[in-house]
Amino acid sequence: MTTDQMTLRACAYVRVSTKRQAEHETSLNEQERGIARAAVERGYEIVETYVEAGKSGLTDRRPALQRMIADACAQPKRYDAVFVFNFSRFFRDEYESEGYRRKLEKAGVKLISATQDVGEGPHARLIRSIFTSLDAASSEINAEQVKIVMSANAEAGFHNGSAPPLGYRTYVAERRDKKDKKKLAIDSAERPLVALIFRLYLEGDGKTEPLGINAIVKWLRERGYTHRNQHFHTGLIYAILTRETYAGRHYYGCRNSRTGEMRPREEWIEVKVPAILSEERFQAVQKRLKARNPRISAPRSHTSPVLLSGIGRCGCNGCTSTMMLMTGKGGRYRYYACSNRRKKGDLSCGGNNVPMDKVDEAVVSALETRLFQPERLTALLGEMLDASSAADASRRKQVAVLRTEETEVTNSIRALFMMVESGATAPNDPFLKERLATLKLRLTSVAEEIVALERQIGAKSSRITPEKIERFAAAMRAKLRDGGEPQVRRRYVRAFVGEVVMSREQIIIRGPNRALELAAAGEMPADDKVRTFMGDWRT
């Protein structure tokens, strides 16, 4: 690169798949070095690096990825390109990868692999697709092989390497092919603590009535008890009280390691272990837990009168935990408090808590003055208001591209069903289900994009107009101040706000343009649906 050429700005995204890799940094540094070399060769300067430690590349549920995409798509433009070491670090799923690449491309940002040069032009997408498909197939094959080996190990009565439950330790039971085969044994030092927790829940400490889970956490903390040098919290106590291991039945494979969802109980593999409690005592605890289960009530995230329930996030020191209600002085004062502090006692973010009334007023005022004003909405929805022939021609071109993708995805779904019919794969294959779910999700997303574009082409009656924006803005400002019941007012906020990140210094409000488009066109979005979004209208 000559000295008179301008260096382009870029960011780097690096990822490792497992917590073990993250802890030992086996590939993060290698990725950063490889990206740095490739960036220099292509005339880019890496100005920011986003690190994703211990996250799978099969889904987009990755905080660093979402921050990177939001920053890359923000205005004014921050980066000219996003560098990854190879495309598998970005995504191992073809349709998710292409969807996010197109989002970057729309923002004028290139996606560049440091080790896989796909070039430019129409053939580039095909080559990327091949790379991503091979990565996905390799991941599925490796996962299946690991699953088979570990399931066989559990069926033989051995422990599969994870940290043993409180009250147990591992020991080498035998050695096969130079590999230690371990089993669980009772840890004499930790056993009394497990027995104490169950006693506190069933009987109390001898001076009190039986304690609830929150009271047990407080009791243990006040007396200096820890879980292997970590503070106890409510989730951990509940997990201990419900763990069947303590009655002599340890299970492997209860959850899908990729999705985190519980598998049917008949698929669990039981491993016999020495019991710490009698079956009768364990069942007595389960009976009391069931009697005290609050699930007969509707979920709080839907019925709570708290305005930002479910969408508030902590914004201190990189923390992204949910913000929950905390009261003081007998309920006279209400705060949004970081759930890490409330549930786990984790003060790494500074124990963030902010006055609820002030935050609610700031959010409502921001929506009134910065979003639901005709001028602001017109600027945000400018593309949708453009009724020119050139704009319609561009939309038709986009629709044609999406129609092609829709056909490709539909054919892929059809091919999966044909594999089931031919016996090439089993209907209950978990990888088949996961792939089918991904394809259906992409098909739905493409269909929604097509509908939105076609609504803007030629159909003047349904297109968003300045008059509709004026009426919509006035109506929403009124609803925010006088929405009737707290739950109703809250639903209006949730219809347009996807996330409120709060700290003591600032509040960031994010929401999807899609919701604005539908509502301004006269189709109010259902606010009880979970939406995935980027911060499109965030200033």
mmCIF file of all heavy atoms in Angstrom, residues 196 199-211 215 219 222-223:
data_model
loop_
_atom_site.group_PDB
_atom_site.id
_atom_site.type_symbol
_atom_site.label_atom_id
_atom_site.label_comp_id
_atom_site.label_asym_id
_atom_site.label_seq_id
_atom_site.Cartn_x
_atom_site.Cartn_y
_atom_site.Cartn_z
ATOM 1 N N LEU A 196 -26.514 -30.425 55.632
ATOM 2 C CA LEU A 196 -26.969 -29.219 56.319
ATOM 3 C C LEU A 196 -28.006 -28.466 55.487
ATOM 4 O O LEU A 196 -29.031 -28.014 56.012
ATOM 5 C CB LEU A 196 -25.765 -28.309 56.592
ATOM 6 C CG LEU A 196 -26.073 -26.903 57.112
ATOM 7 C CD1 LEU A 196 -26.760 -26.980 58.485
ATOM 8 C CD2 LEU A 196 -24.803 -26.061 57.182
ATOM 9 N N ARG A 199 -31.236 -30.199 55.681
ATOM 10 C CA ARG A 199 -31.808 -30.073 57.033
ATOM 11 C C ARG A 199 -32.414 -28.692 57.232
ATOM 12 O O ARG A 199 -33.505 -28.545 57.809
ATOM 13 C CB ARG A 199 -30.728 -30.343 58.083
ATOM 14 C CG ARG A 199 -31.225 -30.191 59.528
ATOM 15 C CD ARG A 199 -30.257 -30.801 60.524
ATOM 16 N NE ARG A 199 -28.963 -30.162 60.494
ATOM 17 C CZ ARG A 199 -28.643 -29.056 61.164
ATOM 18 N NH1 ARG A 199 -29.576 -28.455 61.909
ATOM 19 N NH2 ARG A 199 -27.444 -28.540 61.114
ATOM 20 N N LEU A 200 -31.721 -27.643 56.751
ATOM 21 C CA LEU A 200 -32.257 -26.294 56.878
ATOM 22 C C LEU A 200 -33.592 -26.164 56.160
ATOM 23 O O LEU A 200 -34.506 -25.482 56.639
ATOM 24 C CB LEU A 200 -31.259 -25.273 56.302
ATOM 25 C CG LEU A 200 -29.966 -25.059 57.096
ATOM 26 C CD1 LEU A 200 -29.019 -24.163 56.309
ATOM 27 C CD2 LEU A 200 -30.262 -24.455 58.466
ATOM 28 N N TYR A 201 -33.717 -26.806 55.003
ATOM 29 C CA TYR A 201 -34.946 -26.692 54.228
ATOM 30 C C TYR A 201 -36.094 -27.485 54.859
ATOM 31 O O TYR A 201 -37.249 -27.037 54.831
ATOM 32 C CB TYR A 201 -34.719 -27.178 52.800
ATOM 33 C CG TYR A 201 -35.877 -26.871 51.875
ATOM 34 C CD1 TYR A 201 -36.123 -25.574 51.439
ATOM 35 C CD2 TYR A 201 -36.755 -27.868 51.462
ATOM 36 C CE1 TYR A 201 -37.194 -25.272 50.621
ATOM 37 C CE2 TYR A 201 -37.832 -27.588 50.637
ATOM 38 C CZ TYR A 201 -38.045 -26.284 50.210
ATOM 39 O OH TYR A 201 -39.113 -26.000 49.399
ATOM 40 N N LEU A 202 -35.786 -28.640 55.432
ATOM 41 C CA LEU A 202 -36.845 -29.490 56.002
ATOM 42 C C LEU A 202 -37.165 -29.147 57.456
ATOM 43 O O LEU A 202 -38.320 -29.214 57.875
ATOM 44 C CB LEU A 202 -36.434 -30.961 55.906
ATOM 45 C CG LEU A 202 -36.674 -31.670 54.578
ATOM 46 C CD1 LEU A 202 -36.194 -33.111 54.659
ATOM 47 C CD2 LEU A 202 -38.147 -31.638 54.181
ATOM 48 N N GLU A 203 -36.135 -28.764 58.238
ATOM 49 C CA GLU A 203 -36.328 -28.657 59.676
ATOM 50 C C GLU A 203 -35.881 -27.330 60.280
ATOM 51 O O GLU A 203 -36.262 -27.002 61.411
ATOM 52 C CB GLU A 203 -35.559 -29.796 60.379
ATOM 53 C CG GLU A 203 -36.028 -31.176 59.945
ATOM 54 C CD GLU A 203 -34.914 -32.210 60.011
ATOM 55 O OE1 GLU A 203 -33.826 -31.860 60.526
ATOM 56 O OE2 GLU A 203 -35.118 -33.326 59.529
ATOM 57 N N GLY A 204 -35.055 -26.560 59.569
ATOM 58 C CA GLY A 204 -34.490 -25.353 60.149
ATOM 59 C C GLY A 204 -33.179 -25.655 60.850
ATOM 60 O O GLY A 204 -32.643 -26.763 60.765
ATOM 61 N N ASP A 205 -32.661 -24.664 61.579
ATOM 62 C CA ASP A 205 -31.357 -24.857 62.243
ATOM 63 C C ASP A 205 -31.478 -25.208 63.717
ATOM 64 O O ASP A 205 -30.500 -25.153 64.461
ATOM 65 C CB ASP A 205 -30.499 -23.601 62.075
ATOM 66 C CG ASP A 205 -31.114 -22.379 62.758
ATOM 67 O OD1 ASP A 205 -32.215 -22.516 63.322
ATOM 68 O OD2 ASP A 205 -30.493 -21.294 62.719
ATOM 69 N N GLY A 206 -32.672 -25.580 64.151
ATOM 70 C CA GLY A 206 -32.883 -25.906 65.555
ATOM 71 C C GLY A 206 -33.442 -24.744 66.347
ATOM 72 O O GLY A 206 -34.025 -24.933 67.413
ATOM 73 N N LYS A 207 -33.253 -23.547 65.823
ATOM 74 C CA LYS A 207 -33.781 -22.350 66.479
ATOM 75 C C LYS A 207 -34.906 -21.712 65.668
ATOM 76 O O LYS A 207 -35.611 -20.835 66.170
ATOM 77 C CB LYS A 207 -32.664 -21.316 66.673
ATOM 78 C CG LYS A 207 -31.493 -21.820 67.497
ATOM 79 C CD LYS A 207 -30.402 -20.764 67.563
ATOM 80 C CE LYS A 207 -29.189 -21.258 68.322
ATOM 81 N NZ LYS A 207 -28.096 -20.246 68.363
ATOM 82 N N THR A 208 -35.039 -22.131 64.410
ATOM 83 C CA THR A 208 -36.027 -21.532 63.511
ATOM 84 C C THR A 208 -36.911 -22.608 62.911
ATOM 85 O O THR A 208 -36.649 -23.805 63.015
ATOM 86 C CB THR A 208 -35.335 -20.777 62.358
ATOM 87 O OG1 THR A 208 -34.632 -21.734 61.538
ATOM 88 C CG2 THR A 208 -34.343 -19.755 62.879
ATOM 89 N N GLU A 209 -37.958 -22.152 62.240
ATOM 90 C CA GLU A 209 -38.783 -23.041 61.432
ATOM 91 C C GLU A 209 -37.988 -23.414 60.173
ATOM 92 O O GLU A 209 -36.935 -22.833 59.894
ATOM 93 C CB GLU A 209 -40.089 -22.333 61.053
ATOM 94 C CG GLU A 209 -40.982 -21.988 62.226
ATOM 95 C CD GLU A 209 -41.526 -23.239 62.902
ATOM 96 O OE1 GLU A 209 -41.873 -24.193 62.168
ATOM 97 O OE2 GLU A 209 -41.592 -23.249 64.134
ATOM 98 N N PRO A 210 -38.495 -24.385 59.357
ATOM 99 C CA PRO A 210 -37.816 -24.693 58.087
ATOM 100 C C PRO A 210 -37.617 -23.431 57.264
ATOM 101 O O PRO A 210 -38.498 -22.577 57.161
ATOM 102 C CB PRO A 210 -38.788 -25.671 57.420
ATOM 103 C CG PRO A 210 -39.500 -26.338 58.555
ATOM 104 C CD PRO A 210 -39.643 -25.277 59.606
ATOM 105 N N LEU A 211 -36.445 -23.313 56.673
ATOM 106 C CA LEU A 211 -36.090 -22.110 55.914
ATOM 107 C C LEU A 211 -36.412 -22.268 54.437
ATOM 108 O O LEU A 211 -36.305 -23.361 53.878
ATOM 109 C CB LEU A 211 -34.588 -21.808 56.061
ATOM 110 C CG LEU A 211 -34.059 -21.618 57.485
ATOM 111 C CD1 LEU A 211 -32.564 -21.312 57.446
ATOM 112 C CD2 LEU A 211 -34.803 -20.496 58.197
ATOM 113 N N ALA A 215 -33.795 -17.711 52.366
ATOM 114 C CA ALA A 215 -33.333 -17.676 53.757
ATOM 115 C C ALA A 215 -32.113 -18.578 53.951
ATOM 116 O O ALA A 215 -31.212 -18.250 54.728
ATOM 117 C CB ALA A 215 -34.461 -18.105 54.694
ATOM 118 N N TRP A 219 -28.539 -17.448 55.372
ATOM 119 C CA TRP A 219 -28.010 -18.163 56.543
ATOM 120 C C TRP A 219 -26.585 -18.646 56.261
ATOM 121 O O TRP A 219 -25.685 -18.481 57.091
ATOM 122 C CB TRP A 219 -28.925 -19.349 56.861
ATOM 123 C CG TRP A 219 -28.724 -20.004 58.199
ATOM 124 C CD1 TRP A 219 -29.414 -19.750 59.347
ATOM 125 C CD2 TRP A 219 -27.775 -21.037 58.513
ATOM 126 N NE1 TRP A 219 -28.964 -20.561 60.368
ATOM 127 C CE2 TRP A 219 -27.950 -21.359 59.874
ATOM 128 C CE3 TRP A 219 -26.809 -21.713 57.788
ATOM 129 C CZ2 TRP A 219 -27.185 -22.331 60.507
ATOM 130 C CZ3 TRP A 219 -26.030 -22.676 58.420
ATOM 131 C CH2 TRP A 219 -26.222 -22.983 59.768
ATOM 132 N N GLU A 222 -24.046 -15.626 55.910
ATOM 133 C CA GLU A 222 -23.748 -14.979 57.193
ATOM 134 C C GLU A 222 -22.740 -15.779 58.004
ATOM 135 O O GLU A 222 -21.983 -15.213 58.798
ATOM 136 C CB GLU A 222 -25.033 -14.792 57.992
ATOM 137 C CG GLU A 222 -25.939 -13.697 57.454
ATOM 138 C CD GLU A 222 -27.253 -13.610 58.216
ATOM 139 O OE1 GLU A 222 -27.553 -14.556 58.984
ATOM 140 O OE2 GLU A 222 -27.979 -12.607 58.040
ATOM 141 N N ARG A 223 -22.711 -17.091 57.789
ATOM 142 C CA ARG A 223 -21.813 -17.954 58.565
ATOM 143 C C ARG A 223 -20.575 -18.376 57.774
ATOM 144 O O ARG A 223 -19.818 -19.239 58.220
ATOM 145 C CB ARG A 223 -22.602 -19.179 59.048
ATOM 146 C CG ARG A 223 -23.616 -18.801 60.137
ATOM 147 C CD ARG A 223 -24.722 -19.821 60.255
ATOM 148 N NE ARG A 223 -25.675 -19.463 61.322
ATOM 149 C CZ ARG A 223 -26.633 -18.549 61.182
ATOM 150 N NH1 ARG A 223 -26.760 -17.896 60.040
ATOM 151 N NH2 ARG A 223 -27.446 -18.276 62.190
#
